Amino acid sequence: MKLSENKATLSFSNGSPSVELPVYQGSVGPDVVDIRKLYAQTGMFTYDPGFLSTASCQSAITYIDGDKGELLYRGYPIEQLATNCDFMETCHLLLYGNLPDAADKADFTKRVTHHTMINEQMQFFLRGFRRDAHPMAIMTGLVGALSAFYHDSTDINNPEHRDISAIRLIAKMPTLVAMAYKYSAGQPYMYPKNNLSYAGNFLHMMFATPCEDYVVNPVIERALDRIFVLHADHEQNASTSTVRLCGSSGTNPFAAIAAGVACLWGPAHGGANEACLNMLEDIQKMGGISKVGQFMEQVKDKNSGVKLMGFGHRVYKNYDPRAKLMQETCKEVLASLGLENDPLFKLAMALEKIALEDEYFVSRKLYPNVDFYSGIVQRAIGIPVGLFTAVFALARTVGWIAQLNEMIGDPEYKIGRPRQLFTGSVRRDVLPIAQR
Ligand code: CMC
């Protein structure tokens, strides 16, 4: 963080003395006005619900240029990473700051692979859930419960604990998601297989049964790996900020990541992929493409409460670059499975075309986001709709952990404690109950 020569001056109309605020420059992106001393100097807070104009931290991990539609992990464009690197390389990059060479990759992959098993006792914990529990409810519980099983890696201030918990979380998330799925399907859990890739192993744990050999389809394995790469990090979004805020109290990494899982569940965030597929299925039931116009009218009607799920983004005011890559993967997967004429894919393309030409969407700069096509890919792979957000959580875990570890290592790190503009009752006295 570099101090700019530029300074901001804040003046007040009531004659209070103006204050000079330092301005810092990042390596790219908007400068920030440092308001840390504002309260001490003026007795005032700033007001920014939803953090529309607030940088909550400095970070060197992920950069988004929302106007250009650009996403960089540690400086590398997402398009290059999605095309040239796999998820293990991406994890290494996000966690340690550099793309691994072949030896580093082999070493990192081996470390992750050897932590994929879960303490056997976790099965009994899982059995406490109803079979029809939402997978994200199960995931919030299971991830939080890891802190009860891995006592040797819960000290967030110990760098070795942080590293081993990072590896454990990345390694165990696919096992947990697959266990949640098998539990709901009433099938036996499949133990991880160390000779498979990260994505291949997840497919095996999801779809293999003890009765038959399961062969991983390489097209699906690649598609899933790409889903993981595209979802791996996205700077200070709601769930990442939740992880940072939760971790800022010094809680253990498993608890902080469980908080991230809980936040991701919401339909405005990670839950959008599930909501988007449900929306496509609803339109399909209404009559499909012929009803798109009618549906769009509802979306544009503020009183209807209907949103075009998978569209719009707080940061992207252009095409989400992940959505383009996801659309490409979607075509590949559908073609390899002989589903080129998939009606939901056709419907999604029709909706996208209409929205991109419609004044409502154009004027608000609403474009497809990553969730618009990811649900169609996951559905084609055989992942049930209710599990989509859990797959997102699996992929985002590395980003959460990288951001959490970055925060702990930051000398400016403090417990997060926002302030408020109080609008409630001023001091008053409690009356005896008979007089109220
Ligand atoms: N459909 C219809 N109208 C929309 C949509 C949409 N999907 N998204 C935004 N708008 C309208 C909104 O009503 C508002 O209109 P007006 O200015 O007339 O009041 C305008 O566009 C600006 O929207 P906003 O709600 O102020 O934007 P935001 O930055 O607060 O919200 C968002 C961003 C992602 C929550 C929102 O676009 C949304 O709810 N999208 C649908 C859910 C979705 O796909 N979420 C996934 C996000 S990407 C994956 C992830 O990071 O988790």
Side-chain angles (χ1 to χ4, degrees), residues 384-398:
V385 179
L387 210 72
F388 288 0
T389 314
V391 172
F392 189 161
L394 178 177
R396 182 56 57 83
T397 295
V398 62

Side-chain angles (χ1 to χ4, degrees), residues 268-269 272 302 307-308 310-314 360 364 369 371:
H269 193 9
K302 288 271 169 226
K307 275 194 167 178
L308 181 55
F311 253 73
H313 199 275
R314 170 63 58 80
Y360 175 95
R364 288 171 179 78
N369 61 51
D371 291 321

Side-chain angles (χ1 to χ4, degrees), residues 52 234 237 264 267-270 272 299 302 306-315 317 320 322 360-361 364 366 369-371 392 396:
L52 294 172
H234 215 224
N237 54 80
L264 189 75
H269 193 9
V299 168
K302 288 271 169 226
V306 177
K307 275 194 167 178
L308 181 55
M309 300 311 286
F311 253 73
H313 199 275
R314 170 63 58 80
V315 183
K317 301 302 166 200
D320 177 343
R322 302 168 302 169
Y360 175 95
F361 292 90
R364 288 171 179 78
L366 300 171
N369 61 51
V370 68
D371 291 321
F392 189 161
R396 182 56 57 83

Side-chain angles (χ1 to χ4, degrees), residues 37-54:
K37 299 214 170 91
L38 186 71
Y39 179 57
Q41 287 176 349
T42 67
M44 284 188 207
F45 299 139
T46 54
Y47 181 62
D48 187 20
F51 304 109
L52 294 172
S53 299
T54 297

Side-chain angles (χ1 to χ4, degrees), residues 88 103-116 167 171 194:
M88 284 295 98
D104 287 343
K105 181 180 174 183
D107 179 54
F108 180 75
T109 307
K110 188 169 168 213
R111 287 179 69 208
V112 171
T113 306
H114 284 86
H115 280 283
T116 47
I167 298 291
N194 286 358

Side-chain angles (χ1 to χ4, degrees), residues 227-335:
I227 290 179
F228 295 161
V229 170
L230 297 185
H231 287 85
D233 194 46
H234 215 224
E235 51 118 313
Q236 310 312 321
N237 54 80
S239 58
T240 302
S241 299
T242 301
V243 169
R244 280 185 178 255
L245 190 58
C246 185
S248 79
S249 71
T251 192
N252 72 76
F254 303 108
I257 301 304
V261 174
C263 178
L264 189 75
W265 190 359
H269 193 9
N273 50 21
E274 179 178 344
C276 180
L277 204 94
N278 289 335
M279 172 193 80
L280 292 173
E281 281 177 343
D282 287 347
I283 304 174
Q284 191 61 22
K285 277 187 217 136
M286 276 162 55
I289 292 184
S290 65
K291 297 289 177 192
V292 164
Q294 190 185 323
F295 177 75
M296 284 304 211
E297 287 314 310
Q298 278 183 306
V299 168
K300 292 191 276 180
D301 174 5
K302 288 271 169 226
N303 300 320
S304 73
V306 177
K307 275 194 167 178
L308 181 55
M309 300 311 286
F311 253 73
H313 199 275
R314 170 63 58 80
V315 183
Y316 293 118
K317 301 302 166 200
N318 200 329
Y319 216 108
D320 177 343
R322 302 168 302 169
K324 277 190 196 143
L325 293 156
M326 196 55 83
Q327 194 199 53
E328 205 179 279
T329 298
C330 197
K331 283 186 187 152
E332 270 170 35
V333 168
L334 294 176

Side-chain angles (χ1 to χ4, degrees), residues 49 51 63 107 143 169 176 187-188 205 336 340 349 354 425:
F51 304 109
Y63 176 73
D107 179 54
V143 175
L169 276 156
L176 296 180
Q187 289 182 11
M205 290 188 289
S336 89
E340 292 90 339
M349 301 264 282
I354 292 172
S425 175

